[in-house]
Amino acid sequence: MLDDLRKTIEATIGELTPARARSLAKNLAGPGAAKDQVAKSAADILDWSQKNRERLKEFVRREVSSQVGAVGIATQNELETLKKRVRALERAADKRASASGKTAATRTTTGAKAARKPASKATSSASGKKAADTPARG
């Protein structure tokens, strides 16, 4: 009896072959069962097994999805959506940079040269002034 229950559960979960279904049907029907009755029972068992396997897969799929959502892990679809969004933003940023890049580069170069000149003049005039203000010893 326990062996029959184990076989039934395996038929629900595992991949059931037609030969295995016939064997299971023959055991369930008994030793004096007609071949037609065994064949019909085997077909019913195969159909039942397939449907239960699909139900079990769907149940596991829903449960895993629920648990993944509860933990906060991103799904593959969410990652793909984010990748597309990042690529679009990078393209937009590249376009903006290339469009304003020449103007910005010119301003930066000109601004850097201008910033260096007054700093060097201020330093040299300040050091010259200090030298002139300080009395000579001697």
Side-chain angles (χ1 to χ4, degrees):
M1 178 69 176
L2 189 57
D3 191 45
D4 288 339
L5 180 61
R6 181 184 57 79
K7 288 177 184 178
T8 303
I9 292 172
E10 285 175 355
T12 303
I13 297 172
E15 187 67 34
L16 185 65
T17 64
R20 183 90 168 106
R22 278 191 302 276
S23 172
L24 188 58
K26 190 183 269 187
N27 288 341
L28 292 173
K35 287 186 178 186
D36 289 346
Q37 183 183 5
V38 171
K40 184 181 180 326
S41 294
D44 289 344
I45 291 171
L46 278 171
D47 184 50
W48 173 81
S49 176
Q50 178 65 30
K51 286 178 183 176
N52 282 330
R53 218 176 12 264
E54 291 302 317
R55 286 184 201 127
L56 184 61
K57 284 180 187 178
E58 185 57 34
F59 171 76
V60 170
R61 193 175 293 123
R62 279 193 316 262
E63 188 60 29
V64 168
S65 178
S66 172
Q67 294 301 317
V68 165
V71 173
I73 298 172
T75 65
Q76 190 67 34
N77 288 340
E78 291 170 331
L79 289 176
E80 290 302 319
T81 301
L82 286 173
K83 285 179 186 178
K84 288 176 184 175
R85 185 172 175 198
V86 167
R87 286 185 200 117
L89 289 170
E90 287 173 340
R91 283 192 295 271
D94 287 345
K95 285 180 183 177
R96 274 185 260 149
S98 66
S100 65
K102 294 175 186 173
T103 313
T106 306
R107 273 187 263 135
T108 305
T109 306
T110 308
K113 286 179 184 176
R116 275 187 257 138
K117 287 181 181 177
S120 61
K121 287 181 182 178
T123 307
S124 62
S125 64
S127 59
K129 193 175 185 182
K130 283 184 181 178
D133 291 341
T134 307
R137 291 187 190 187

